Amino acid sequence: MIATENLVPYSKTQLSIFKTAQLAPIKDLKLLVKDYTPIAKNALTILINISTDPEILKSLAEDDALLESVFIRITNPKEPNADLLSMLLSNLAKSDSLARLLTLTRPAVPALSAATTSLPTRKTENAINQLLALFNAGVHGNYNADATFEHLAYVFADLAKYPDVATHLANTTRENAPLLAILTPHTHPPTLPLPLRLGSVSTIRNTLLAIPNPLTHISALVPHILPSLLLPLIGPDPSFSEQETDLLPPELQLLGPEQRRETDFRVLREIVEAVFLILARCGEGSEEGEEGKGLEVREMVKVTGAYAVLREFHLGVEDEDVREGVERCVQLLMGGEEAEEMLEREREGRVTEVVDDEVGGEGLVGKEGKVLDSGGTMIQGENYKREESDSEDEKMVEVF
C-alpha cells in the first residue's frame, strides 16, 4: 500500500516512469485494481491520471481482462471504489475500442436487476445497457452507498458519437421510452453535479448528431427529450403569456420562483446545439415518402412552446456563442428575415411574435458536422474543453 500511495503524485508529474520496460508498471497496476481496497484505490487513481497518454490509453482500453474486472467491481453494490471505476471508464471511452461495449455481453447482475426496471431481466446483458441500468439505479446513491456514478454520463456521451450506439440509445426502449430518456432527468437543476448535467446533455446532443436516418429517429425522440432541454433554459417567473404557457409541456408549466436557469455556459452550449440539431437534421435528405416529416418535426417543436422559451432565454444570456446559437435555432424554427427582425426587437426590449415556416440560418456544428465529444475528459469535473479538431489533445479526468 505504501508503495502505490507514494506513486500517486508521480502520476501527475512524471508519467514517463510508468512507461518503462514496455509498460510493465501498467501491467502491475492493472492487477492491483483487484487488490485490497486501499491499494486498489491508489492503483485506480494512478491509472485515471496516466490514461491521458495515448499509448497507455490504448493498453488499458483494449485489455478485455481489465474491462471485465472493472465491470465486475463497478456493478458490485458494496464496491467502495465504484466512483473511481466510473472515472476510469470515462477516460477509457475516449478510445474507439470502447465502442465494442455495444456488442459485449456480460452475465446479469442479480442485485442490479432487482434495483432497476430499465430492461427485462435476462441471463446475459448488453454491456452498455448494464451501465445504463447502473446509472439509472445508482446516480443518487440508491444502489451503492459509496457511489453516485455521475461520471458514467461522460461514458455515454463519448459512445453516443458512434452511429450504432446512437441508434441503440434511440431505438431500445424501457417503459415505452428510448434508453436515451434515462439521462433526461439529470439535465436540471443546476444544483446537480456538473459531470451529471454536462454528460447527460452531451449524450443527447451527440446522439442527435450521430444518429442515421434523422427524420425517422429524431421525430420519435422529440417528445422524450425536448422538455429536458428546454427546462434548464427557463428562469424564475418567466414572462410567458397565458397562451404560451398552455403550449408548454406540463412539466414546464407553473414553475415557481424556486426555478433556476442553468448557469454553466458549457452546459448551455450543448443544450442549444441539441435543439439546433433537432431542427437542422430533420431537414437533411429526406427518405422516400418522408418529404414532409422535417416540417412536421419543426412544427412539433414549435407547438411545445420552444419559441417562447428561446426568446426569454435569449434576452438574458451573456455568452456570445450561446446567444448566436439561440438565434440560429430561432431562424430555423420561425423563419429567416422575420426572425432576425424579432431578435433585433428583443435586443431593444420590444418583443413581437413571429409566425412563419420559412427555414434559414447556418449550422452550429460546422460545415463538416464534426461530433464534439462530451468533454467528459475532465480534471476534477471542472476543466471542460470543447474539441475543435481531431488533432487536438483531449483533457481527461485526473484525480488529485
Side-chain angles (χ1 to χ4, degrees):
M1 174 182 173
I2 295 177
T4 54
E5 186 176 11
N6 290 339
L7 283 172
V8 171
Y10 293 101
S11 68
K12 288 283 296 171
T13 60
Q14 291 183 247
L15 188 147
S16 59
I17 69 173
F18 299 97
K19 299 181 68 174
T20 59
Q22 297 181 326
L23 300 183
I26 305 301
K27 297 174 185 176
D28 294 336
L29 288 167
K30 291 176 182 179
L31 294 175
L32 291 177
V33 168
K34 299 182 282 187
D35 213 311
Y36 294 110
T37 297
I39 296 175
K41 178 180 178 180
N42 290 330
L44 284 167
T45 299
I46 294 170
L47 289 175
I48 290 167
N49 289 344
I50 65 179
S51 59
T52 56
D53 179 86
E55 184 181 4
I56 294 175
L57 175 61
K58 176 178 172 65
S59 172
L60 297 175
E62 296 181 359
D63 189 329
D64 289 336
L66 174 65
L67 193 60
E68 178 62 17
S69 179
V70 169
F71 265 86
I72 289 172
R73 282 157 180 76
I74 200 172
T75 55
N76 179 354
K78 299 186 181 299
E79 171 58 52
N81 293 324
D83 274 342
L84 286 174
L85 291 161
S86 297
M87 294 172 73
L88 179 61
L89 276 177
S90 74
N91 281 0
L92 299 188
K94 295 300 176 187
S95 168
D96 289 341
S97 68
L98 259 285
R100 71 186 188 278
L101 292 182
L102 182 62
T103 56
L104 177 67
T105 57
R106 298 202 65 257
V109 179
L112 186 56
S113 299
T116 180
T117 58
S118 294
L119 292 169
T121 302
R122 299 183 177 93
K123 292 183 178 179
T124 60
E125 297 174 328
N126 173 286
I128 287 182
N129 289 358
Q130 197 166 75
L131 287 180
L132 283 163
L134 179 62
F135 177 83
N136 188 45
V139 75
H140 296 300
N142 298 327
Y143 181 73
N144 183 331
D146 295 316
T148 59
F149 303 102
E150 60 197 43
H151 280 84
L152 288 182
Y154 288 143
V155 177
F156 307 138
D158 280 310
L159 295 179
K161 64 187 179 184
Y162 302 106
D164 288 346
V165 177
T167 300
H168 179 75
L169 293 174
N171 281 354
T172 307
T173 60
R174 59 176 290 275
E175 301 172 356
N176 298 318
L179 280 180
L180 189 62
I182 288 176
L183 290 99
T184 57
H186 310 300
T187 64
H188 195 71
T191 52
L192 291 176
L194 178 61
L196 186 57
R197 295 170 4 249
L198 184 55
S200 295
V201 298
S202 296
T203 303
I204 295 171
R205 178 221 180 272
N206 284 350
T207 299
L208 291 169
L209 182 55
I211 199 164
N213 301 323
L215 288 179
T216 299
H217 289 116
I218 291 179
S219 61
L221 284 173
V222 165
H224 300 288
I225 65 175
L226 188 59
S228 68
L229 295 174
L230 297 179
L231 180 60
L233 305 183
I234 302 175
D237 299 319
S239 301
F240 299 147
S241 68
E242 183 176 347
Q243 182 180 9
E244 290 169 340
T245 300
D246 289 341
L247 287 175
L248 294 171
E251 58 267 44
L252 305 188
Q253 298 181 17
L254 304 178
L255 297 174
E258 70 280 358
Q259 166 66 16
R260 290 293 178 267
R261 178 178 289 157
E262 175 61 58
T263 57
D264 193 292
F265 292 126
R266 296 163 291 186
V267 179
L268 291 173
R269 289 185 192 116
E270 294 291 294
I271 291 173
V272 172
E273 288 189 1
V275 174
F276 176 83
L277 286 166
I278 290 173
L279 298 168
R281 292 212 67 204
C282 64
E284 291 181 8
S286 303
E287 293 95 340
E288 184 177 354
E290 294 187 329
E291 292 81 1
K293 186 168 286 188
L295 289 176
E296 291 177 12
V297 173
R298 292 192 187 96
E299 187 62 27
M300 188 188 309
V301 175
K302 188 181 296 185
V303 299
T304 60
Y307 165 67
V309 174
L310 292 170
R311 181 196 68 209
E312 293 299 309
F313 173 63
H314 182 269
L315 284 172
V317 70
E318 297 178 359
D319 184 85
E320 190 61 30
D321 289 341
V322 177
R323 286 179 60 85
E324 290 178 0
V326 173
E327 291 169 13
R328 292 189 178 105
C329 288
V330 173
Q331 285 175 339
L332 284 175
L333 184 62
M334 306 303 292
E337 293 182 2
E338 289 183 314
E340 290 179 11
E341 180 181 349
M342 173 208 66
L343 290 166
E344 182 61 33
R345 289 178 178 175
E346 286 184 13
R347 297 186 190 102
E348 299 172 357
R350 300 192 301 273
V351 181
T352 58
E353 185 175 0
V354 176
V355 285
D356 194 303
D357 289 327
E358 184 182 352
V359 176
E362 296 179 354
L364 286 174
V365 294
K367 294 180 180 179
E368 297 179 359
K370 181 187 184 304
V371 176
L372 303 179
D373 74 23
S374 67
T377 46
M378 300 180 64
I379 298 175
Q380 290 292 79
E382 297 295 337
N383 257 348
Y384 174 83
K385 178 180 180 183
R386 295 175 60 77
E387 299 302 318
E388 298 298 338
S389 71
D390 291 327
S391 62
E392 290 190 14
D393 294 332
E394 296 179 332
K395 287 186 176 292
M396 305 180 84
V397 176
E398 295 181 0
V399 184
F400 294 88

